[in-house]
Amino acid sequence: DMFDDAVNLFLDAQQPLDDLEPRVNRSLQSLFTFLFSDAPARKLADRVGGDRSTQVNLNFVKLFKRHGQMRYAETCLLELIRQGDLDAKLLMAEYQLQAGRSAAAERLFNELAAISFNQDSKQQRFAPPINSHISVRARIGLWRLAKLAQDSATADFLLKGIRYALCTPNLMEKNNLAEYLSEQSEETLALEVFEDLLPVVAMGQRG
């Protein structure tokens, strides 16, 4: 059936997708319909090894976006946000920023920053913060918005907080933040962080 075609097409890495645009679009439509149908998730899970308890996830969002199907991607994101997925909410904020919808992006980034702050404040003094990665990335989004609005005072304030976050002794998180900055076209600050990490790597620090 059409769902079989959709799964087979995207699992078969040997097929030249550039020559199959009409079939790709039909398969994406079929896949999207399946995800939001009442059909059990078992059929999809059996084929791609996924979690049978959930149909929609961020992998499908990225798949739809990669093929230019933003309507499908955003519908999946909205469903994940409805389920309370903060990573999905962050991705939606990023999409809104990329699309030039600054007001919507700012609202989402502020909501994420507030949620993360409230949760972090409940932790014991030396316990690892909940969703700290979300909080920092939301602040990076707000910093980018402030720069776009030429609000230098807000941008400077937010940048100071981001720099504090980049002082983390967790080298993996520091590297992940640098990669995130690079993905968000903030190459100058990303390069600073990578240069800070370089001596540690050169000295043989594991990871």
Side-chain angles (χ1 to χ4, degrees), residues 139 143 154-166 189:
R139 284 163 174 77
W143 172 55
T154 301
D156 290 345
F157 173 77
L158 289 166
L159 179 58
K160 183 180 292 187
I162 293 166
R163 287 192 178 279
Y164 282 143
L166 289 168
L189 184 54

Side-chain angles (χ1 to χ4, degrees), residues 19-183:
D19 299 331
L20 296 173
E21 184 174 354
R23 186 179 173 197
V24 168
N25 290 335
R26 287 195 303 272
S27 297
L28 287 169
Q29 182 180 12
S30 178
L31 183 59
F32 177 80
T33 300
F34 175 83
L35 290 172
F36 286 89
S37 72
D38 293 329
R42 184 177 296 108
K43 185 174 184 181
L44 180 61
D46 288 343
R47 290 190 172 251
V48 299
D51 182 355
R52 295 185 181 189
S53 65
T54 304
Q55 283 184 293
V56 181
N57 61 51
L58 288 177
N59 289 329
F60 290 116
V61 173
K62 293 171 183 176
L63 173 66
F64 289 132
K65 182 177 184 292
R66 189 180 306 125
H67 291 278
Q69 299 290 344
M70 285 305 299
R71 183 172 65 87
Y72 294 163
E74 291 192 2
T75 300
C76 292
L77 277 178
L78 288 171
E79 172 59 21
L80 290 169
I81 291 168
R82 188 189 65 79
Q83 296 172 15
D85 190 318
L86 296 183
D87 287 300
K89 197 168 191 176
L90 177 65
L91 192 55
M92 176 64 88
E94 293 166 7
Y95 286 175
Q96 298 294 339
L97 179 54
Q98 292 168 11
R101 297 190 283 266
S102 297
E106 183 175 15
R107 176 178 58 80
L108 290 168
F109 283 133
N110 274 319
E111 288 175 4
L112 287 167
I115 290 171
S116 298
F117 177 80
N118 291 336
Q119 289 181 328
D120 291 352
S121 66
K122 296 176 184 177
Q123 295 301 290
Q124 296 179 1
R125 184 175 179 183
F126 298 108
I130 296 175
N131 298 319
S132 61
H133 72 289
I134 295 286
S135 178
V136 176
R137 285 157 178 76
R139 284 163 174 77
I140 290 172
L142 291 170
W143 172 55
R144 295 178 64 206
L145 283 168
K147 291 196 298 176
L148 286 172
Q150 299 183 332
D151 183 350
S152 57
T154 301
D156 290 345
F157 173 77
L158 289 166
L159 179 58
K160 183 180 292 187
I162 293 166
R163 287 192 178 279
Y164 282 143
L166 289 168
C167 291
T168 174
N170 184 329
L171 298 183
M172 183 62 71
E173 175 59 10
K174 191 168 184 174
N175 183 77
N176 289 342
L177 283 171
E179 290 181 352
Y180 182 78
L181 285 163
S182 180
E183 291 168 0

